[in-house]
Amino acid sequence: MDDRMFRTAMGKFATGVTVITTEVDGEVHGMTANAFMSVSLDPKLVLISVGDKARMHDLIKRADKFAVNILSEEQKEMSMIFAGQIKEERNVAFEDFEGTPIIKDSLVNLACNVYDTHEAGDHTLFVGEVLNLNVQDGEPLAFFEGKYKQIS
């Protein structure tokens, strides 16, 4: 199998969409990610997968904390901003939650400290211990076959 076939196969797995945020030296950084999962209830752990060449990789290592913002179907533009699909400068309002920047109006915000890291191929798996969370009702933004979708 080649890389393209592998990517196509992985695109057949429908996911939600998250924006991972962190703060380093007073500056907020974020990236869109769908490689996110729950790991454990006791302790409460989640996992994100970040490419070793991604800017967020070193930023999360430096900050030693991050937030996972699970986006609602109304937040497609937010995903596109942090995926680099919208090039114009946009003003994104962040809120502080447990010392970590979060995106307002997300379905879920998870404030995490880095609990562990694992190198896996060309990515690093960051296991985060959830310090606190916000949850609100709404429909999720979904991603399937390289396109945003709505769940109906």
Side-chain angles (χ1 to χ4, degrees):
M1 88 191 99
D2 62 13
D3 290 352
R4 183 75 229 141
M5 180 183 283
F6 184 75
R7 287 182 73 99
T8 298
M10 295 302 98
K12 299 287 186 185
F13 182 64
T15 67
V17 180
T18 73
V19 172
I20 310 303
T21 50
T22 196
E23 186 173 356
V24 174
D25 298 331
E27 189 174 339
V28 176
H29 303 272
M31 70 170 244
T32 298
N34 63 352
F36 159 76
M37 64 182 281
S38 169
V39 174
S40 169
L41 260 178
D42 186 17
K44 291 169 182 57
L45 302 175
V46 295
L47 181 145
I48 58 172
S49 178
V50 180
D52 293 341
K53 293 180 181 167
R55 229 173 48 137
M56 280 296 280
H57 180 272
D58 292 338
L59 293 168
I60 292 171
K61 281 195 164 194
R62 283 181 58 198
D64 208 36
K65 61 183 175 179
F66 60 90
V68 178
N69 303 274
I70 300 175
L71 302 185
S72 74
E73 66 184 3
E74 287 86 28
Q75 292 178 302
K76 177 180 171 183
E77 182 176 293
M78 199 65 63
S79 173
M80 294 175 74
I81 290 168
F82 290 102
Q85 296 167 333
I86 295 178
K87 302 298 182 196
E88 310 85 68
E89 188 69 27
R90 299 287 169 96
N91 187 21
V92 177
F94 296 97
E95 292 182 352
D96 183 87
F97 183 60
E98 301 289 342
T100 305
I102 60 167
I103 296 174
K104 187 178 172 190
D105 298 324
S106 297
L107 288 181
V108 176
N109 309 105
L110 303 167
C112 304
N113 281 337
V114 174
Y115 181 86
D116 203 356
T117 62
H118 301 276
E119 293 183 20
D122 58 3
H123 280 61
T124 297
L125 308 178
F126 290 93
V127 179
E129 183 170 19
V130 179
L131 305 174
N132 205 348
L133 56 82
N134 293 324
V135 179
Q136 55 184 325
D137 291 334
E139 294 299 318
L141 181 61
F143 201 70
F144 178 70
E145 292 186 329
K147 295 182 178 74
Y148 293 101
K149 302 285 185 178
Q150 290 185 329
I151 297 176
S152 50

